[in-house]
Amino acid sequence: MNRKKTYIGIAVIVFIFGIIVIPKIIDRLKRGEVVQNDRLNVAKLNSQDNDGELSYININGKDRKVPHFEFVDQNGDTITEDTYNGKVFLVEFFFTRCPTICIPMNQNLVLIQNTFEDNPDFGIASFSIDPEHDTPEVLKEYADRYGVTDPDWHMMTGDREEIYELANVGFNLLAQENPNIEGNFQHSGLFALVDQNGFIRSRKDEFGNPLIYYRGFIPQGAEEVEGEETSQIDILIEDIKKLLNKNKS
């Protein structure tokens, strides 16, 4: 019996700190089911030693890298993971008809874009989870409407199964069709931060565990409400700067 309890305890720990936990928490957040223990305290994150090294996301003893992909962007150009070689970049999964979290997500990304404008070592990779509708022409109109000016911000479309494989397996960022919610698609609303060598990076929380992903769906500077999730855009900008500065040293 004790051995069985030990196995159960180990499984629970792995589940809590595994990379798949964040999308599940976001899913619960949308349904209003997130409890206080799920929350990451941004004030504590900001109080950590921000001069420390950003963490690698290690799964089964291996640091997680961006997997191979090949899609077409809003300009009709073919984009792969090699397009971002040598660049610090952010990854999001979105769709242009999204009536909810994609709006603050891409507004936040425009703010981040403008923070690092004219920096050739920074980029953004946006993958549409509604590729049948989001053609290059639709993505181009969407990019123009939001003020996308960075030539290294690629909004991509392509094979549906490959995009969902990239989201759910490659990044463990929730993306699925759901006719029961507004917009008919469900996704995590999180951003992944990738370094110049293609590794997913993050800072650690107050317990020494990798944050893994950054909340992209809460506007930068949003008023903090006790018991509610807070924005992580400012700490994300800090961490982008850290990786960019490391490239200069």
Side-chain angles (χ1 to χ4, degrees):
M1 180 65 70
N2 288 338
R3 180 178 297 178
K4 184 176 181 181
K5 289 182 178 179
T6 299
Y7 290 157
I8 293 173
I10 292 173
V12 170
I13 292 171
V14 170
F15 174 76
I16 291 173
F17 294 113
I19 196 169
I20 64 170
V21 71
I22 299 301
K24 291 181 181 296
I25 289 175
I26 294 301
D27 186 28
R28 292 164 60 200
L29 171 63
K30 292 174 185 175
R31 299 195 305 266
E33 298 173 3
V34 176
V35 297
Q36 189 63 34
N37 288 339
D38 288 327
R39 303 182 185 279
L40 294 173
N41 189 306
V42 174
K44 290 182 180 179
L45 286 169
N46 281 330
S47 69
Q48 75 174 39
D49 180 8
N50 198 40
D51 293 328
E53 185 80 9
L54 293 179
S55 295
Y56 291 86
I57 308 306
N58 190 283
I59 305 296
N60 297 325
K62 193 172 183 179
D63 294 333
R64 182 175 283 272
K65 291 191 74 171
V66 173
H68 171 69
F69 64 83
E70 184 174 331
F71 300 113
V72 176
D73 74 357
Q74 70 268 32
N75 298 311
D77 297 326
T78 298
I79 306 298
T80 74
E81 74 281 7
D82 291 337
T83 303
Y84 294 92
N85 280 348
K87 299 182 187 296
V88 175
F89 67 101
L90 297 177
V91 171
E92 70 155 346
F93 291 87
F94 83 112
F95 61 108
T96 63
R97 294 188 288 185
C98 175
T100 54
I101 62 174
C102 294
I103 297 171
M105 284 171 64
N106 284 298
Q107 288 173 341
N108 283 333
L109 285 175
V110 169
L111 288 170
I112 295 172
Q113 165 201 257
N114 295 341
T115 300
F116 298 100
E117 63 180 342
D118 301 323
N119 190 325
D121 296 327
F122 176 73
I124 299 173
S126 299
F127 301 93
S128 171
I129 62 172
D130 184 16
E132 287 83 1
H133 175 267
D134 290 343
T135 62
E137 294 76 17
V138 170
L139 291 173
K140 176 64 174 173
E141 189 279 330
Y142 185 89
D144 291 343
R145 177 154 43 94
Y146 270 81
V148 173
T149 57
D150 187 343
D152 294 309
W153 185 346
H154 303 283
M155 292 187 162
M156 289 170 270
T157 188
D159 181 82
R160 176 189 180 89
E161 295 304 317
E162 290 180 8
I163 291 173
Y164 277 66
E165 178 84 3
L166 182 67
N168 293 306
V169 179
F171 282 96
N172 291 107
L173 283 170
L174 174 69
Q176 64 184 23
E177 219 176 328
N178 187 341
N180 297 317
I181 65 172
E182 189 177 9
N184 297 323
F185 292 92
Q186 188 172 12
H187 57 116
S188 68
L190 301 174
F191 298 153
L193 173 61
V194 183
D195 70 13
Q196 294 91 336
N197 298 310
F199 289 98
I200 301 173
R201 305 289 293 273
S202 76
R203 65 171 61 191
K204 295 180 179 180
D205 65 19
E206 70 272 24
F207 303 109
N209 303 304
L211 180 64
I212 305 180
Y213 299 124
Y214 299 78
R215 296 186 201 109
F217 58 93
I218 301 177
Q220 182 190 43
E223 181 180 355
E224 295 188 13
V225 178
E226 185 175 356
E228 296 293 330
E229 298 290 342
T230 53
S231 175
Q232 292 181 333
I233 301 304
D234 288 336
I235 67 170
L236 175 56
I237 289 173
E238 289 178 11
D239 292 349
I240 293 169
K241 289 179 179 178
K242 184 181 296 185
L243 291 176
L244 288 172
N245 289 335
K246 185 174 180 179
N247 200 34
K248 295 178 182 179
S249 60

